[in-house]
Amino acid sequence: MRRFKQIVCLAAVFAFAAIATGSASTLPEPRPDTLPRWRGFNLLEKFIKGGSSGGPYRQEDFRLISEWGFNFVRLPMDYRFWIKDGDWAQIDETAFADIDQAIAFGRKYDIHVCINFHRAPGYTVAQPPEPADLWTDAQAQLVCAMHWAYFARRYKDVPNTHLSFNLLNEPADIDGRTYYRVVKQLVEAIRAEDPNRLIIADGLNWGKQPCEELVALGVAQAARGYEPFALTHYKASWVAGSQSWPVPQWPAPLAGGGYLYGPTKPDLRSPMRLNANLHAPATLTLTVGTVSASAHLVVRQGEKELWSQTFTPGPGDGPWKEVVFRPEWNVYQNVYDRSYEISLPAGRYPLTLDNVRGDWLTLTGLELRTQDGTAADFPIRPEWGQPNEPLRVESDENGCRFVAPRRQDADWLWQAVFSRWYTARGQGIGVMVGEWGAHNRTPHDVTLRWMEDCLKTFRRAEIGWALWNFRGSFGVLDSGRTDVPYEDLDGLKLDRKMLELLRRY
């Protein structure tokens, strides 16, 4: 511990970098209780050490962001970029040239720069995990505070109009009191060096909800805009199971549930009920996702059984795509991702989909197809413990459709996600959306409709935002989408429709 204290003392005498100043700023003055309605992007040059990132920040990015009318960048960073020889207690001053330059670019182009520890000593949402746990490990907390103190000393002469600190990325699986204890240490370390530095803390539950415990610390808070997750992260390689999710829609019918529980879980049982009104015979296709232990799925027209199937997951080859054994329960929960067709007669009648024997299974989608070839899809993202709400399936001479009691749209975004952040603003908490966007596998037209509803919702909540990312699979440049007519921009592929949508808000 003596050596560690000596290292901290040495860090205190590092020389500060000279940060270039720009012309007179037009940026609004931020306060922890009232953040400006910033609009901008995340830049990923220091996002993950050892990945594709690592180079210097690009002046051209700052120039374009400013030229297009935006005024904010967030820099999610990995602390391993600025330590010596993998020792988290040794800060390498020479590693800060690129960060110094990014702040200088911000001042030159009148863009606010927000520095974020995406990977902090003892904490990350990425892989591999940190060897220590910031929430419980005292030394990790001390080291993390030392890192933030260094940033505060180095950049204390940069005004809050151009620089803020975003402490930790998306705290997950912790309670407000635990979060408060750690954030308090980091805030005190920063303010010991720079008492007035603007500090932003991400909300709880991956940034989904405000943390009331932090109000006493006088820090702003950052939300996330990744709902519905099955739309924003459709087929994202880093999200388990996303390859088998149904193709996103927006707006989308919403019925909740998706789980069919058997008699082993009587308190959760909730058959899926559909009221059919079909002008001609049709085919209902249901997709079974995961089956736990065993299940027997039955489809009934009133009291008449139309179809049934028994599922018994186990080891080796079978009608499943993936074998998953859960040793904690001593059961197989295999991923089937398999579709089954049921012929439906014309007429009006109730349909019931029920698991009458065994543990549980999930349904990930329904499709209705008429004899003339028209079809309608109903994607489902199963939610544990949520009851299945009734649906209607209809067909007439104009086609077929699913009708749900609710749908995901702009009102849903407000009620389910952002109304709570608007309330937080009214309680004296500065709020912004630190990340949002949709991965490039979500259809472009769906993405743009969803983005516009998000932007309307941000404006309604009077909060700013930073798209993840500027260049890359969520961004306006080089996104890798296959359904976009890109515009060439000096060798970059510009998604002009997305850019112009963002500029309107």
Side-chain angles (χ1 to χ4, degrees):
M1 194 64 188
R2 178 180 297 174
R3 176 176 176 272
F4 178 73
K5 290 181 178 178
Q6 290 173 341
I7 292 168
V8 174
C9 290
L10 287 174
V13 299
F14 284 153
F16 304 142
I19 305 299
T21 59
S23 56
S25 175
T26 61
L27 289 174
E29 184 71 35
R31 301 198 316 266
D33 61 346
T34 310
L35 291 184
R37 199 168 165 267
W38 289 313
R39 298 156 62 246
F41 304 88
N42 282 259
L43 302 181
L44 308 188
E45 273 65 22
K46 305 297 180 187
F47 173 42
I48 297 179
K49 186 173 176 61
S52 59
S53 56
Y57 293 94
R58 305 184 190 185
Q59 181 171 198
E60 182 67 2
D61 287 353
F62 285 81
R63 185 188 69 80
L64 286 172
I65 289 169
S66 176
E67 182 179 293
W68 287 336
F70 304 100
N71 62 359
F72 181 93
V73 295
R74 177 174 177 262
L75 310 182
M77 298 192 295
D78 183 335
Y79 79 94
R80 296 174 298 177
F81 278 109
W82 59 79
I83 62 175
K84 293 181 180 179
D85 302 322
D87 184 348
W88 67 355
Q90 293 195 61
I91 291 180
D92 180 5
E93 183 186 8
T94 65
F96 279 77
D98 291 345
I99 303 171
D100 294 347
Q101 189 176 62
I103 296 173
F105 288 155
R107 301 195 75 175
K108 178 177 180 179
Y109 293 100
D110 212 18
I111 292 172
H112 182 94
V113 175
C114 179
I115 290 175
N116 163 252
F117 284 11
H118 195 276
R119 179 185 288 267
Y123 177 73
T124 183
V125 296
Q127 295 296 325
E130 280 287 289
D133 180 9
L134 180 64
W135 312 121
T136 59
D137 188 293
Q139 187 179 29
Q141 294 164 10
L142 184 60
V143 173
C144 191
M146 182 266 285
H147 281 243
W148 270 121
Y150 180 81
F151 273 76
R153 290 193 299 274
R154 189 176 188 94
Y155 300 122
K156 67 186 301 181
D157 293 330
V158 183
N160 283 337
T161 50
H162 280 92
L163 182 67
S164 60
F165 292 163
N166 179 206
L167 298 177
L168 302 164
N169 184 73
E170 299 176 7
D173 298 327
I174 58 165
D175 59 85
R177 287 177 295 179
T178 300
Y179 192 35
Y180 168 83
R181 287 194 295 268
V182 173
V183 169
K184 184 173 185 289
Q185 293 182 61
L186 306 185
V187 168
E188 289 175 347
I190 292 169
R191 289 178 175 162
E193 304 293 341
D194 186 0
N196 298 315
R197 174 58 59 201
L198 177 65
I199 300 171
I200 304 171
D202 282 2
L204 290 170
N205 190 21
W206 289 273
K208 294 180 182 179
Q209 65 189 66
C211 180
E212 294 180 2
E213 288 83 354
L214 299 187
V215 173
L217 297 178
V219 299
Q221 296 190 38
R224 288 295 179 270
Y226 291 133
E227 295 293 340
F229 197 69
L231 182 152
T232 64
H233 287 69
Y234 174 62
K235 290 193 174 182
S237 60
W238 61 94
V239 178
S242 63
Q243 301 301 312
S244 61
W245 290 351
V247 178
Q249 302 177 28
W250 191 265
L254 179 66
Y259 278 82
L260 294 179
Y261 305 98
T264 63
K265 292 181 170 53
D267 294 341
L268 293 174
R269 292 205 71 194
S270 175
M272 183 173 287
R273 304 185 188 280
L274 298 85
N275 292 312
N277 182 11
L278 306 177
H279 80 298
T283 299
L284 178 69
T285 301
L286 56 88
T287 302
V288 174
T290 300
V291 179
S292 175
S294 67
H296 185 71
L297 179 57
V298 176
V299 178
R300 292 191 179 95
Q301 175 194 358
E303 298 298 321
K304 177 183 177 182
E305 182 175 309
L306 295 180
W307 177 90
S308 67
Q309 180 74 35
T310 298
F311 301 87
T312 310
D317 295 333
W320 42 77
K321 287 190 176 180
E322 182 182 355
V323 174
V324 179
F325 180 68
R326 299 293 188 185
E328 63 269 39
W329 301 304
N330 193 32
V331 298
Y332 285 92
Q333 294 183 344
N334 290 0
V335 178
Y336 279 71
D337 189 24
R338 186 171 179 180
S339 297
Y340 302 88
E341 294 186 350
I342 299 97
S343 296
L344 302 181
R348 291 174 177 265
Y349 50 84
L351 275 174
T352 304
L353 283 61
D354 194 9
N355 177 18
V356 299
R357 191 167 62 246
D359 196 12
W360 56 261
L361 61 80
T362 63
L363 297 178
T364 59
L366 302 174
E367 180 192 65
L368 184 69
R369 188 172 62 254
T370 60
Q371 289 180 331
D372 61 7
T374 60
D377 293 318
F378 186 76
I380 304 170
R381 187 183 175 204
E383 297 180 76
W384 181 268
Q386 296 297 312
N388 290 296
E389 299 179 41
L391 295 171
R392 297 204 315 269
V393 288
E394 303 175 345
S395 73
D396 53 30
E397 61 278 1
N398 296 317
C400 55
R401 68 201 64 85
F402 288 91
V403 181
R406 298 178 293 135
R407 71 175 191 166
Q408 292 174 320
D409 54 15
D411 287 338
W412 177 86
L413 285 170
W414 177 260
Q415 294 297 334
V417 185
F418 289 102
S419 61
R420 70 186 69 143
W421 287 104
Y422 183 73
T423 299
R425 286 188 69 255
Q427 296 170 343
I429 300 172
V431 175
M432 72 164 302
V433 180
E435 295 179 18
W436 72 291
H439 183 49
N440 61 16
R441 300 299 295 276
T442 300
H444 193 239
D445 62 327
V446 173
T447 296
L448 294 183
R449 287 196 298 271
W450 171 80
M451 288 180 72
E452 181 150 26
D453 278 348
C454 286
L455 290 163
K456 290 177 180 177
T457 304
F458 301 159
R459 187 168 62 183
R460 179 179 178 182
E462 301 175 19
I463 55 179
W465 48 264
L467 187 73
W468 186 280
N469 36 22
F470 185 55
R471 286 174 287 105
S473 68
F474 288 68
V476 297
L477 291 172
D478 292 347
S479 64
R481 296 182 182 275
T482 59
D483 55 351
V484 173
Y486 288 108
E487 177 181 317
D488 180 71
L489 182 71
D490 296 327
L492 301 172
K493 293 182 178 180
L494 171 64
D495 183 344
R496 174 64 71 176
K497 284 187 176 181
M498 183 181 290
L499 173 63
E500 293 307 322
L501 172 63
L502 294 171
R503 293 180 69 183
R504 289 201 298 273
Y505 291 88

